[in-house]
């Protein structure tokens, strides 16, 4: 675990292929908008915002790296602006040396590294912790990153790519502790809570789930609870307020952003339609109509697939997920994955948080699907393993080719001045 980010010899070629695959999308995105940032001005930013339509993702990171400020929602992302500050300093240096605003390149490099290592963590979870062969682990990790809203956050300038890396890294560490019968110390738990919840608060609940599965009843001891979760929560709030004052928005009260959070809670959409078309639909495979459209502009909340076969693919993926959940029902690693999925189902489908664009949150949970499917590939029946592997291979080929074509066309669409 001390060398967790060391790439081992047998991981190098698969890792290189993933870097190249993700790097293509980075190059396309940067090339599309770089002329607007190279000679940066407010007018160019306006042109950029008129052309940047990547579903519900926001390019706030570009603005923060260009001119550092508390650009993110202070309560949902309390430490994210602070985490971006070193990247802003790097951009300022490069801007001085080259005369170009390099925020796209810096953000792209960070997201490419985060996405590539997130894939590596998923591969290691499948191979080292679940116990799949290298071939099956490669197959399922490729499936996970072929999902639409796991792939897209790896190159879109938002916080989801960073969240994906943090959650998968902690999942890998927690799974290793389960294997070695170790426990999280309160220091480890509090550090991970600060780091992940500092990016986005819902990550903190996912940390609590993973720590609870590993530590068992020990997590209920008041001292552990206070030191691991209560004190870090207070630190997050205090730090967020301090950053607010330092960036000259101290006039904004805490009550105002709290009340603003309720605008994310929606109850006006059919939960069944949202589950079929968005939560297990758009999250995993894009709709051809309104590709990467934003519900705040012209995209309807519910979009139907134009090809009925896509519902078959969705049904197969959900079926394999449920089958894997049953096969792994006695495994604590599977409990951890199901706990994260259940958290997001409760948060989005039950409470209605971000219900209108629930698919953009998929990076917080969709990686759990291949982890649970892995238990099907551990079946003692060889014909079952081979049949499922061939089915998954076909789905992987379809997802990567389908999304690759759609995203290439979208990212090469000319900018409208």
């Amino acid at each position: 675990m001390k060398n967790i980010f060391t790439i081992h010899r047998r991981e190098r070629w698969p890792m290189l292929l993933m870097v190249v695959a993700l790097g293509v999308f980075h190059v396309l995105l940067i090339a599309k908008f770089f002329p607007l940032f190279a000679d940066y001005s407010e007018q160019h930013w306006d042109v950029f915002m008129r052309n940047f339509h990547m579903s519900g993702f926001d390019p706030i990171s570009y603005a923060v790296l260009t001119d550092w400020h508390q650009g993110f929602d202070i309560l949902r992302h309390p430490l994210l602006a602070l985490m971006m500050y070193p990247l802003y300093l790097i951009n300022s240096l490069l801007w001085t040396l080259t005369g170009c605003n390099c925020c796209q390149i810096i953000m792209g490099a960070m997201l490419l590294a985060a996405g590539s290592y997130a894939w590596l963590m998923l591969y290691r979870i499948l191979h080292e912790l679940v116990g799949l062969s290298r071939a099956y682990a490669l197959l399922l990790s490729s499936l996970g990153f072929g999902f639409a809203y796991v792939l897209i956050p790896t190159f879109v300038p938002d916080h989801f790519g960073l969240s994906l890396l943090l959650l998968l890294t902690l999942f890998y560490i927690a799974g290793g502790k389960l294997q070695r019968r170790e426990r999280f110390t309160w220091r480890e738990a509090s550090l991970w809570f600060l780091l992940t919840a500092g990016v986005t608060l819902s990550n903190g609940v996912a940390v609590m789930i993973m720590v609870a599965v590993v530590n068992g009843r020990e997590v209920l001891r008041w001292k552990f609870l206070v030191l691991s979760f209560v004190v870090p929560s207070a630190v997050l709030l205090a730090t967020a307020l301090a950053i607010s004052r330092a960036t000259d928005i101290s006039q904004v009260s805490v009550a105002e952003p709290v009340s603003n959070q309720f605008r994310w809670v929606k109850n006006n959409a059919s939960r069944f339609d949202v589950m079929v078309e968005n939560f297990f639909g758009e999250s995993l495979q894009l709709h051809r109509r309104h590709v990467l459209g934003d519900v705040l502009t012209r995209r309807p909340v519910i979009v139907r697939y134009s090809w009925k076969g896509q519902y078959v693919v969705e049904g197969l993926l959900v079926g394999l997920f449920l089958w894997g959940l049953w096969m792994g029902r006695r495994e604590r690693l599977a409990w951890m994955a199901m706990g994260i999925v259940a958290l997001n189902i409760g948060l989005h489908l039950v409470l209605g948080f971000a219900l209108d664009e629930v698919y953009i949150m998929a990076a917080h949970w969709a990686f759990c699907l291949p982890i649970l499917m892995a238990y099907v590939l551990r079946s003692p029946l060889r014909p079952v393993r081979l049949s499922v592997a061939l089915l998954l291979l076909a789905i992987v080929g379809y997802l990567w080719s389908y999304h690759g074509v759609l995203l290439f066309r979208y990212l090469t669409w000319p900018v409208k001045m």
Side-chain angles (χ1 to χ4, degrees):
M1 286 298 170
K2 291 179 180 178
N3 301 315
I4 191 171
F5 292 108
T6 300
I7 303 172
H8 306 304
R9 183 172 59 84
R10 290 190 175 184
E11 298 169 340
R12 291 172 187 169
W13 279 108
M15 181 73 162
L16 178 61
L17 290 174
M18 184 54 58
V19 169
V20 171
L22 299 182
V24 169
F25 297 111
H26 280 279
V27 170
L28 292 175
L29 180 65
I30 292 172
K32 182 171 184 174
F33 296 114
F34 189 74
L36 299 176
F37 285 96
D39 184 19
Y40 181 78
S41 68
E42 290 186 6
Q43 181 181 0
H44 286 162
W45 177 260
D46 291 339
V47 173
F48 168 70
M49 290 302 294
R50 286 199 299 270
N51 286 272
F52 184 89
H53 301 291
M54 301 292 289
S55 192
F57 296 112
D58 299 316
I60 299 173
S61 301
Y62 285 166
V64 172
L65 265 61
T66 298
D67 181 16
W68 188 82
H69 60 286
Q70 177 60 50
F72 306 98
D73 187 303
I74 191 173
L75 289 187
R76 288 192 296 124
H77 315 292
L79 298 184
L80 191 53
L82 188 62
M83 293 176 180
M84 294 292 174
Y85 189 69
L87 300 182
Y88 159 73
L89 294 177
I90 295 172
N91 186 43
S92 298
L93 177 62
L94 290 177
W95 203 340
T96 301
L97 295 175
T98 66
C100 295
N101 181 7
C102 300
C103 66
Q104 277 191 287
I105 297 173
I106 295 169
M107 191 67 190
M110 188 272 284
L111 287 175
L112 179 58
S116 301
Y117 270 106
W119 174 86
L120 181 62
M121 296 304 158
L122 178 58
Y123 168 77
R124 288 176 175 175
I125 290 166
L126 296 167
H127 176 55
E128 299 175 15
L129 303 182
V130 181
L132 293 184
S133 66
R134 294 183 185 276
Y136 284 167
L138 286 171
L139 176 63
L140 278 175
S141 56
S142 299
L143 174 71
F145 275 68
F147 292 156
Y149 283 82
V150 174
L151 173 61
I152 293 169
T154 62
F155 62 86
V156 171
D158 210 323
H159 71 276
F160 293 96
L162 185 56
S163 291
L164 181 65
L165 172 64
L166 291 171
L167 291 173
L168 275 167
T169 302
L170 181 58
F171 199 106
Y172 177 54
I173 291 172
K177 286 183 178 292
L178 286 175
Q179 267 193 350
R180 300 186 300 274
R181 299 180 183 275
E182 296 177 358
R183 297 289 183 266
F184 281 102
T185 66
W186 69 263
R187 292 179 180 84
E188 291 173 322
S190 61
L191 178 62
W192 276 104
F193 185 89
L194 272 173
L195 189 60
T196 56
V199 173
T200 190
L201 280 183
S202 61
N203 288 350
V205 185
V207 172
M208 295 172 70
I209 290 172
M210 288 186 261
V211 172
V213 171
V214 173
N215 285 33
R217 294 181 180 178
E218 288 183 13
V219 79
L220 298 177
R221 294 178 180 177
W222 71 268
K223 181 179 179 181
F224 190 91
L225 279 173
V226 169
L227 293 176
S228 298
F229 307 121
V230 177
V231 172
S233 298
V235 170
L236 284 176
L237 179 59
T239 305
L241 291 175
I243 294 174
S244 296
R245 293 182 180 277
T247 51
D248 293 329
I249 57 171
S250 56
Q251 302 90 343
V252 179
S253 66
V254 177
E256 183 180 354
V258 168
S259 63
N260 284 345
Q261 304 311 309
F262 288 102
R263 67 187 171 86
W264 290 90
V265 179
K266 306 289 185 180
N267 291 290
N268 57 350
S270 164
R271 294 302 199 270
F272 180 78
D273 284 342
V274 169
M275 181 177 66
V276 172
E277 300 294 348
N278 291 345
F279 192 81
F280 286 115
E282 179 81 356
S283 296
L284 307 184
Q285 50 179 338
L286 294 171
H287 292 77
R288 290 183 65 185
R289 300 191 185 103
H290 301 281
V291 175
L292 295 180
D294 193 336
V295 294
L296 297 179
T297 53
R298 293 188 299 272
R299 186 193 192 276
V301 174
I302 301 299
V303 178
R304 309 292 178 184
Y305 284 113
S306 55
W307 178 48
K308 299 301 182 183
Q310 291 177 289
Y311 290 107
V312 175
V313 173
E314 179 181 344
L316 290 170
L317 290 172
V318 173
L320 288 170
F321 153 61
L322 295 175
W323 188 5
L325 177 61
W326 174 256
M327 295 286 286
R329 65 191 182 279
R330 294 187 177 89
E331 300 281 346
R332 292 170 74 184
L333 195 73
W335 298 356
M336 203 154 56
M338 192 56 229
I340 294 173
V341 176
L343 163 67
N344 285 272
I345 289 175
L347 182 63
H348 302 301
L349 295 183
V350 178
L351 296 180
F353 181 79
L355 190 66
D356 287 354
E357 48 184 13
V358 65
Y359 38 84
I360 72 170
M361 308 292 177
H364 293 156
W365 62 270
F367 62 86
C368 294
L369 300 190
I371 295 173
L372 289 166
M373 292 177 190
Y375 291 97
V376 178
L377 290 178
R378 278 182 28 178
S379 170
L381 302 175
R382 188 168 182 270
V384 171
R385 296 197 305 271
L386 289 177
S387 300
V388 172
L390 289 174
L391 176 62
L392 287 171
L393 184 62
I395 293 175
V396 168
Y398 154 71
L399 287 177
W400 275 95
S401 57
Y402 175 68
H403 290 149
V405 170
L406 284 183
L407 291 173
F408 177 82
R409 289 176 177 174
Y410 190 83
L411 293 173
T412 54
W413 195 263
V415 173
K416 295 180 181 180
M417 305 299 286

